[in-house]
Each structure stands twice: as C-alpha cells, then as structure tokens.
Amino acid sequence: KLNNKDVTLGDGEIKGTRVKVYGRILNFRAQKSATFLDLKDGYGVLQCVLQAGDLTKCYDALMFAQETALVLYGELRKVPPAQKAPDNRELHVDYFKVLGSAPSDLDAISNKVSRQQDPWDAQMLDNRHLVLRGENASAVMKLREAVEMAFIDTYREMEFRKVSPPAMVQTQVEGGSTLFKYDYYGEEAYLTQSSQLYLETVIQSLGNVWCLEKSFRAERSLTRRHLSEYSHVEAELDFIEFDDLLEHLEEIISLVVDKILNNPVSAAYVKLLNPDFQKPSRPFMRMKYADAIEWLNKQDPPILNEEGNLHVFGDDIAEAAERRMTDIINRPIFLTHFPVEIKAFYMKKDPNDLRVTESVDVLMPGVGEIVGGSMRMDDYDELIEAYKKNGIGHEPYYWYTDVRKYGSSPHGGYGLGLERFLAWMANRHTVRETCLYPRFMGRCKP
Ligand code: 4AD
Ligand code: MG
C-alpha cells in the first residue's frame, strides 16, 4: 500500500529499501531529464521518478495516461520538504510494467470532476463509476466510511445494541404516498421506509437499540436532498422523556463529529472537502414549531408558505423555507413540537398542549432536516385511535400494537439520514454526491 511508512528511506548517502509497488497514474509529467509520476492507490500517493533513457523511451512509457495501472520497482528515498512530494519521499524507478492501460479520454471526465462537476449532469451520473476515480468524489466516500465507523463506535460506547430489521415489509411508517410496492409471492409488500417500528419491538429484550439500514422512499420530486434509496441511522431509547431524547441527539452528533475531527486521516477529508467546517457548539438551539412559524413571518420580507401566504399554525414548513431559516440562523436547530396533523401517526402528544407532538427535527445549515425523531405513543387505546384517524388498517400492525399491551413504557427515537449528515459535514450541494451510486426518480443506473 502506498501509505506504508514501514520502509527505510535512503537519502543518497545511505541506500534505501528496494520496493515493488502497485498503483495507478494520478498524473504525470514527461520532462527532458526524467518522467515524474504521481502514483495512487486507495491509500495514498507516491511520487515516482523514471530517469530519461531506456525506461522512458519504451512503448509502455509512451502509453502513460491517467488511471494506467502499473507495477514499479525501485529505491525509496527521502526528499527535502521543499519538494512537496507526498510524505517527503520518492521512488527511483529501475523497472516497471504496465498492467492495464487506459484511454486518454478519461482525462476529460476526471478533470471535469476535480473542478467540482455539476451533480445533476446526466453525463456525470452515467459516468459515476469513473467520477468515483476523482479525488473529491473518492474523499467523500472515504469520509462516509469514517462516519459510519464513528456511529458504530459511539453507539458501542453508549451500550446501544445493533440490530438488523427486515427491508421487505407489509406496513408503512411515513405515509402511503412514498411506498415502493412490489409483488411478494402474490401478496402486496413494500420496501421499508424506516426500521423504527421494528426497533420499538426489541427495546424490551435488548435495551436501547440502533441500526444502519437502507430505507426506501418513492419520492416524486427532484430535490437536493431526496433519494429513493438512502442509508438510515435509527435508534430507539427505552424509559426516557422528551428532554432525554434531545440531549441524546446532541450527544451522538457531537461525539461522531469529534471522532471524525480527532482522527488525522478522516479530519483531512473534511479539510479537503469543507475547509470551513466547525464543530457545532453545545447546547444546540431549541425552537418550537409555533415560534418558527412566527420567525418566518417576521422576516423582512417574510418567508412565505407553499401557497405564497404567511405561515399559519398547521402549515408544513417546506424545504426551501426550512433551509433559509437554518442558513440565516447558521447553527444546528432542534425544531420541536410539530402539530399532530402534519406528523406521523405514532407520535406522542405533548401532555401540556394536545395540539402538538413531542417531536423533533434536527436542522443543519446548508441542508435543513437531517434527523426526524419523537416520543412514541405508548397508550394502547390512543394508538388504535391514531390508526383510525390516519386511515390505517390496524391488523397488519398487531405486532407493533402489542408493544403497548405487554409492558408498555415511555420511549422514543429518531432516524438520521446518513447522506444528509454527510452533505452537511462535507458541504456537498446535494445528497447525490454522498452515495456511491445515487438512486432518485428517473435514475436506477449504473
Ligand atoms: O423524518 P423521517 O421520515 O422519519 C422517519 O423515518 C422516522 N420513522 C425515523 C425514526 O424515528 N426512527 O426520516 C428520518 C430522516 C430524515 O430526517 C432525513 O435525514 C432522512 O431520514 N430522509 C431522507 N434522506 C434522503 N432521501 C430521502 N428521501 C429521505 N427521507 C428521509
Ligand atoms: Mg422528517
């Protein structure tokens, strides 16, 4: 691996170690005296020097192009920092072989990539497999892996147990309009919208639980932050009150960010992608839905609802309004206590104001909502009533209803969109840039 530091380096006086390395060409410069290659693999970059002569005059050397795969042999040497070689070292090549050549048309694509390509561009999306070869696109994927690992470690430290609920289901969670339906041996079934209901059924035996699974939404609009398939970090906490849920959310987000920034490798990806990123300061701002409505109306000019009118209690806060509010306030916001009518059937009502729910959206600058969570209705009769009010037949939910029958408890949880979390941390224009191969309306390839 090109980031391997376990090699003795020569410096001209002392002989270095003769090594064999594999990699692909990131870029190269053929000069009169020598050809310089920046060789890359998934781990690092190594500068290689081929002295002019037999090495640079052969057919293979004439075929060098971006992404050409090579094996090279040579002596690894220390170079002065002034030369700005990666890790201050250089490979003096004495033999090499091309393993896989590459047509030079790739340069056009990856050049476009490194100049911050348009993530909506169909050509870019068709060539996603090549776009991923670029430095920025691959840094986002490396950061994504680091974030997933940070969640795993943080939940472990908090003693949350990881579970893996099914993706093939026969119940909806977040409304029928975004269900992906399919034929399950002759029966109607769906791709899951959220693992929440399943998480709620196992806190009794496993304690606090979490999962990192795919969720699916048949979203019929093209926005910066909606995907058809996304990675969903979800957790469910037993024996808590609403304030405990908010505190936990602040804690998990802060700890995950700490883990990323405290590790020099992952911190470097953040630095490359979002040099201005700052860890959010605690406590996060808390704002009730009713106050947000007022805040929007009080702006000059007012930020209007989807019909172009002033917001009234009960209105959905649309994506654009929500993002403008978050961008103006420019720090994380816990937006709480949404009206019952605009939230999911399972959310617990606020005992002090039955018009609203004990619910929270976490909003981040640049993205808006990255988390949706709530306390859950824990009373049996109330839940049966809620199914009715929402026009949901309760039979398929018998296992979920039973949570309220066998030792019900005050509990709550949340779902965090991993792609949106990354769009926030890595300052990406859309969540499409944070997936390996994004899926959204009109796109199911490559
Ligand atoms: O707000 P949502 O719909 O809440 C739920 O699904 C709850 N059942 C979660 C729970 O309490 N366990 O979705 C949660 C989060 C959103 O805040 C957003 O970050 C992300 O999931 N999300 C999407 N991300 C990308 N594309 C979409 N179409 C998304 N829909 C939701
Ligand atoms: Mg939501």
Side-chain angles (χ1 to χ4, degrees):
K1 296 186 178 91
L2 296 182
N3 64 343
N4 183 0
K5 307 261 161 59
D6 273 353
V7 217
T8 315
L9 301 176
D11 58 6
E13 303 282 311
I14 310 161
K15 255 210 164 318
T17 315
R18 189 160 185 278
V19 295
K20 170 186 181 186
V21 297
Y22 293 94
R24 292 184 178 78
I25 296 179
L26 177 62
N27 49 55
F28 68 100
R29 303 175 300 285
Q31 294 178 350
K32 233 188 225 148
S33 59
T35 295
F36 297 90
L37 297 178
D38 284 330
L39 194 72
K40 59 155 192 176
D41 62 6
Y43 305 92
V45 175
L46 178 66
Q47 185 168 296
C48 307
V49 188
L50 285 71
Q51 293 303 333
D54 293 348
L55 274 179
T56 59
K57 292 226 175 77
C58 59
Y59 176 72
D60 274 4
L62 295 174
M63 297 212 315
F64 284 165
Q66 257 183 39
E67 296 297 325
T68 302
L70 301 168
V71 57
L72 305 112
Y73 296 77
E75 193 191 314
L76 208 53
R77 289 191 200 153
K78 225 187 284 182
V79 296
Q83 281 194 28
K84 297 218 161 101
D87 299 324
N88 300 320
R89 43 189 208 165
E90 197 170 70
L91 181 72
H92 286 255
V93 178
D94 51 47
Y95 178 75
F96 77 92
K97 219 163 104 180
V98 169
L99 300 177
S101 61
S104 50
D105 63 348
L106 191 74
D107 296 8
I109 293 165
S110 42
N111 275 335
K112 213 165 153 190
V113 172
S114 52
R115 269 191 265 114
Q116 278 297 314
Q117 86 286 3
D118 173 8
W120 305 83
D121 183 307
Q123 191 202 353
M124 282 294 126
L125 288 161
D126 287 344
N127 285 301
R128 180 73 184 157
H129 58 298
L130 299 178
V131 168
L132 285 167
R133 303 276 183 111
E135 190 189 12
N136 279 358
S138 56
V140 176
M141 291 307 119
K142 288 171 184 174
L143 178 62
R144 182 181 165 121
E145 193 238 7
V147 168
E148 288 185 18
M149 293 302 162
F151 273 108
I152 292 175
D153 290 346
T154 309
Y155 281 121
R156 262 231 139 133
E157 287 157 17
M158 292 179 163
E159 290 191 86
F160 277 54
R161 207 160 256 129
K162 190 170 185 297
V163 294
S164 192
M168 307 168 95
V169 302
Q170 290 190 310
T171 43
Q172 54 118 320
V173 190
E174 300 296 330
S177 65
T178 60
L179 279 175
F180 273 115
K181 294 191 182 82
Y182 68 95
D183 179 275
Y184 189 79
Y185 306 104
E187 281 185 62
E188 181 170 304
Y190 321 114
L191 297 177
T192 189
Q193 293 173 309
S194 159
S195 299
Q196 174 198 323
L197 307 192
Y198 293 103
L199 294 186
E200 283 187 58
T201 65
V202 287
I203 48 175
Q204 302 77 5
S205 50
L206 303 180
N208 294 339
V209 289
W210 80 286
C211 64
L212 170 50
E213 299 289 336
K214 291 291 180 80
S215 283
F216 302 87
R217 307 275 172 109
E219 306 280 358
R220 301 204 180 274
S221 57
L222 297 171
T223 79
R224 281 161 61 171
R225 65 180 198 193
H226 285 92
L227 296 161
S228 309
E229 174 184 336
Y230 72 95
S231 287
H232 208 170
V233 174
E234 293 184 273
E236 201 63 29
L237 293 74
D238 202 7
F239 301 119
I240 56 159
E241 294 186 2
F242 187 46
D243 262 341
D244 301 322
L245 180 63
L246 299 186
E247 245 162 65
H248 162 86
L249 270 166
E250 202 174 287
E251 181 86 353
I252 185 97
I253 292 170
S254 304
L255 290 176
V256 166
V257 169
D258 278 345
K259 282 205 160 60
I260 297 299
L261 297 183
N262 292 342
N263 177 318
V265 178
S266 50
Y269 305 139
V270 178
K271 188 128 204 262
L272 171 76
L273 299 162
N274 187 6
D276 299 327
F277 182 78
Q278 296 233 321
K279 187 196 157 178
S281 59
R282 297 174 73 170
F284 292 1
M285 181 179 177
R286 290 167 197 214
M287 194 180 201
K288 288 193 168 170
Y289 163 88
D291 297 328
I293 293 294
E294 240 179 72
W295 187 96
L296 292 166
N297 288 343
K298 269 207 308 233
Q299 298 309 295
D300 184 20
I303 300 174
L304 302 173
N305 70 12
E306 290 203 287
E307 282 83 46
N309 301 316
L310 288 178
H311 283 89
V312 292
F313 187 91
D315 280 351
D316 241 326
I317 301 179
E319 179 175 339
E322 178 195 276
R323 196 172 19 232
R324 271 192 66 198
M325 180 173 92
T326 322
D327 287 349
I328 293 170
I329 294 174
N330 197 24
R331 50 180 292 210
I333 305 169
F334 280 154
L335 193 55
T336 65
H337 299 92
F338 289 87
V340 173
E341 283 69 32
I342 60 169
K343 282 294 180 185
F345 72 92
Y346 52 76
M347 290 190 181
K348 189 174 181 159
K349 291 182 186 146
D350 177 2
N352 301 313
D353 179 358
L354 295 177
R355 296 177 310 153
V356 299
T357 49
E358 289 189 320
S359 52
V360 57
D361 278 6
V362 182
L363 314 182
M364 289 301 188
V367 186
E369 176 192 345
I370 68 159
V371 174
S374 77
M375 293 298 289
R376 319 303 191 192
M377 232 168 230
D378 50 42
D379 181 78
Y380 183 90
D381 296 327
E382 224 179 298
L383 181 63
I384 297 290
E385 194 55 39
Y387 290 135
K388 265 197 215 131
K389 253 185 108 177
N390 285 274
I392 300 172
H394 64 84
E395 295 85 0
Y397 292 82
Y398 69 91
W399 48 275
Y400 181 65
T401 314
D402 272 357
V403 169
R404 283 78 189 160
K405 199 157 138 192
Y406 295 89
S408 193
S409 61
H411 66 283
Y414 58 89
L416 174 148
L418 188 74
E419 290 82 4
R420 293 195 189 177
F421 184 91
L422 277 156
W424 165 61
M425 259 202 116
N427 190 27
R428 296 295 96 185
H429 180 69
T430 98
V431 290
R432 298 174 185 187
E433 294 170 77
T434 67
C435 314
L436 212 51
Y437 290 100
R439 294 288 182 258
F440 52 90
M441 192 172 66
R443 174 141 314 252
C444 202
K445 65 169 190 188

